[in-house]
Amino acid sequence: MKSGLLALIALSCLSMPSAEASVVTFDYTATVTSLTGVSVPGIGTTVHASVTFDTAALPWQSTPTSANYANPIVSLSYNSQLVPLAGSSVAIWNNYTPAGGTPYIDTFYINAMTTAGETFDLFISATLASPPSLLTSTGLPNQPPNLALDTEDFFRFNDGKGGSFRGDITSITMASPVPEASTWAMLLLGFAGVGCVAYRRREQRTLAA
């Protein structure tokens, strides 16, 4: 009876979904195309950034074709350096038609502000003939937007002191998820439970012999 209970607990731990499944990371690269008030990085330089956000975040403002999110970004890194954040926002348009404008505009726009007064922007937009298009909804995407469909994109950095640079996005991919500490703890507990059950069964067979 105890062995069966231990086995059930172990299997529950191993099969339990991670509470962090809604957190995703997009890695992207951009080629610098213009500089204002700065000399580095140079024109043609490739820069890298990663943004991690919670797709379960709820918008503070929404319509059937647009949504705005406040502080959904969990972390941001630039050229492999973690950037301390002061705040962030994400704006999404999905199959949006401005008054008198071209229909079916999709936009994914990230703005992140650092504690040093800097800003990072990631903008991807598409104007398409008909849906479905760049995005599938006004929710925070759990897959990167398809750059093959976009009509405009850019990465922009502003140092808050008059200097900035801008680049064309060359790739955007989803990073492999890294298990959280709670996930590792559940896995270890599950494996320990399985090992305990196996040990008890071997012990019982030895005594029976």
Side-chain angles (χ1 to χ4, degrees), residues 124-180:
I124 302 172
S125 187
T127 303
L128 301 166
S130 62
S133 47
L134 189 73
L135 302 167
T136 58
S137 72
T138 59
L140 291 168
N142 54 19
Q143 293 294 329
N146 186 354
L147 287 181
L149 298 176
D150 81 318
T151 51
E152 181 183 7
D153 63 66
F154 64 80
F155 166 74
R156 180 173 57 203
F157 169 78
N158 189 307
D159 65 9
K161 304 173 184 177
S164 64
F165 63 84
R166 174 172 168 152
D168 292 334
I169 298 172
T170 54
S171 70
I172 180 167
T173 58
M174 186 170 175
S176 299
V178 177
E180 298 292 320

Side-chain angles (χ1 to χ4, degrees), residues 111-128:
N111 173 259
M113 297 143 282
T114 76
T115 54
E118 305 158 327
T119 59
F120 290 83
D121 295 313
L122 173 68
F123 180 89
I124 302 172
S125 187
T127 303
L128 301 166

Side-chain angles (χ1 to χ4, degrees), residues 20-28 48-55 72-78 82 108 110 122 140-145 171-180:
E20 305 295 331
S22 63
V23 176
V24 300
T25 299
F26 291 171
D27 293 332
Y28 57 95
H48 306 266
S50 294
V51 58
T52 300
F53 56 91
D54 187 356
T55 61
I73 297 178
V74 177
S75 65
L76 172 73
S77 65
Y78 172 68
L82 191 64
F108 177 59
I110 291 176
L122 173 68
L140 291 168
N142 54 19
Q143 293 294 329
S171 70
I172 180 167
T173 58
M174 186 170 175
S176 299
V178 177
E180 298 292 320

Side-chain angles (χ1 to χ4, degrees), residues 17-76:
S18 171
E20 305 295 331
S22 63
V23 176
V24 300
T25 299
F26 291 171
D27 293 332
Y28 57 95
T29 59
T31 301
V32 176
T33 56
S34 64
L35 304 171
T36 301
V38 294
S39 58
V40 292
I43 300 293
T45 300
T46 297
V47 295
H48 306 266
S50 294
V51 58
T52 300
F53 56 91
D54 187 356
T55 61
L58 297 176
W60 65 268
Q61 182 183 51
S62 65
T63 72
T65 57
S66 66
N68 290 284
Y69 297 83
N71 298 314
I73 297 178
V74 177
S75 65
L76 172 73

